[in-house]
Amino acid sequence: MPAAFTYHAKAQSTFKPPLIANENAYLGDIVSSEQNDPEKPISGGFYRLEKGTPLVYEYHYDETKIIVEGEFEISDETGQKVTAGPGDVFYFPKGSKITFTTPSYGLAFYVS
């Protein structure tokens, strides 16, 4: 029997990710294949950062982020630093250590 797709109307404006770190970093999966494929799951959701404490995150998996609102300052341990805005796409390889900051707020959609 075929599997039905999942639909989340207006998720960018209605989904409120939970606080994950500090006083200003929010992240939450909207979708995940973990129940169907626990050995190699993929997940997608939103990451929101508000002005305040930088978030330093070490990736234990590969991830892609698309900036959908606001602005992020993103840097890594190699010294690479980018100011990112809507439409910018990032790939963070497993093992990378990334620092996220924002002068106001930023919202990104991720797939990992």
Side-chain angles (χ1 to χ4, degrees), residues 22-92:
N22 308 321
E23 77 289 357
N24 61 332
Y26 302 83
L27 182 135
D29 290 350
I30 294 176
V31 294
S32 178
S33 67
E34 191 165 15
Q35 281 190 317
N36 299 334
D37 189 359
E39 291 180 28
K40 294 184 180 180
I42 62 168
S43 298
F46 286 101
Y47 167 59
R48 180 180 176 96
L49 186 66
E50 297 175 354
K51 185 176 181 176
T53 307
L55 178 68
V56 179
Y57 189 80
E58 185 170 348
Y59 281 87
H60 300 284
Y61 45 82
D62 295 317
E63 181 175 274
T64 296
K65 270 190 174 54
I66 302 168
I67 311 307
V68 294
E69 291 179 5
E71 181 179 49
F72 287 95
E73 293 168 356
I74 299 173
S75 59
D76 65 18
E77 292 181 302
T78 71
Q80 183 174 216
K81 185 175 184 177
V82 173
T83 299
D88 291 344
V89 177
F90 290 84
Y91 166 67
F92 303 116

